[in-house]
Amino acid sequence: MKLEFELVPESCWYSNLRSILSKEQWDVVRRDAYARAGGRCMICGKPVKRLEAHERWSYDEKNKVQKLEDVVAVCRACHEVIHIGRTQLMGREKEASEHYMKVNGCSYAEYRKALGEANAAHQRRNKVDEWKLDLTWLQRFC
């Protein structure tokens, strides 16, 4: 799937780059993503005036490592799908599900299946007490 759910383990909530980096450092990282995007969402390709920076993380459950893989520029609609838990709390799941299905060219049943799989991974990852942070991706800015 082109557009996927990225459910962050609860123990990692509020530990994002904006809270780790200085404002100036975060601006360099997010502006790099915007420049690479060229005015288009890096997931759905839609041209937009306002892009949002999204951190892509991978999770090595065996070694308990949360690794920064990239920072990408996305449209609001894709960002709401990625963070579906927050979107559901805001009452916007219908719009997000429609966007997910459109971008991925899939059915509602496939949407529900992918959401179930994402929730299962989220539950597994929530069992890890503390994740080690791997920020080697940021070395490109040094």
Side-chain angles (χ1 to χ4, degrees):
M1 297 287 183
K2 218 171 147 177
L3 176 57
E4 297 180 348
F5 308 108
E6 298 178 29
L7 305 180
V8 176
E10 291 173 18
S11 63
C12 301
W13 288 2
Y14 309 111
S15 62
N16 54 44
L17 289 183
R18 288 175 304 287
S19 66
I20 296 168
L21 303 176
S22 71
K23 181 184 180 329
E24 294 78 20
Q25 291 169 318
W26 170 243
D27 283 346
V28 168
V29 171
R30 71 182 178 85
R31 287 185 179 132
D32 173 73
Y34 300 155
R36 286 184 286 129
R40 293 184 172 273
C41 175
M42 294 173 84
I43 295 175
C44 72
K46 177 182 173 186
V48 290
K49 289 182 181 179
R50 186 181 182 279
L51 290 164
E52 299 178 4
H54 170 68
E55 302 159 26
R56 286 230 152 126
W57 299 91
S58 64
Y59 298 92
D60 176 345
E61 294 171 48
K62 181 181 176 188
N63 296 306
K64 302 178 180 181
V65 176
Q66 176 189 15
K67 181 179 180 182
L68 180 64
E69 299 291 345
D70 199 358
V71 174
V72 295
V74 297
C75 67
R76 179 177 180 239
C78 282
H79 216 182
E80 285 188 339
V81 170
I82 292 167
H83 295 295
I84 193 67
R86 181 178 184 277
T87 302
Q88 289 168 327
L89 291 173
M90 294 172 55
R92 294 187 43 81
E93 184 179 10
K94 182 179 186 301
E95 295 88 345
S97 67
E98 289 170 357
H99 188 69
Y100 179 94
M101 291 182 290
K102 178 182 174 188
V103 170
N104 290 319
C106 70
S107 68
Y108 184 72
E110 291 168 311
Y111 163 80
R112 296 300 303 170
K113 181 179 183 225
L115 184 55
E117 290 168 357
N119 280 321
H122 184 248
Q123 291 300 325
R124 266 194 337 272
R125 293 173 183 156
N126 279 340
K127 293 177 183 173
V128 174
D129 293 334
E130 190 173 335
W131 292 89
K132 294 176 221 134
L133 211 50
D134 180 344
L135 299 174
T136 54
W137 182 85
L138 290 173
Q139 290 176 351
R140 63 186 295 202
F141 298 99
C142 297

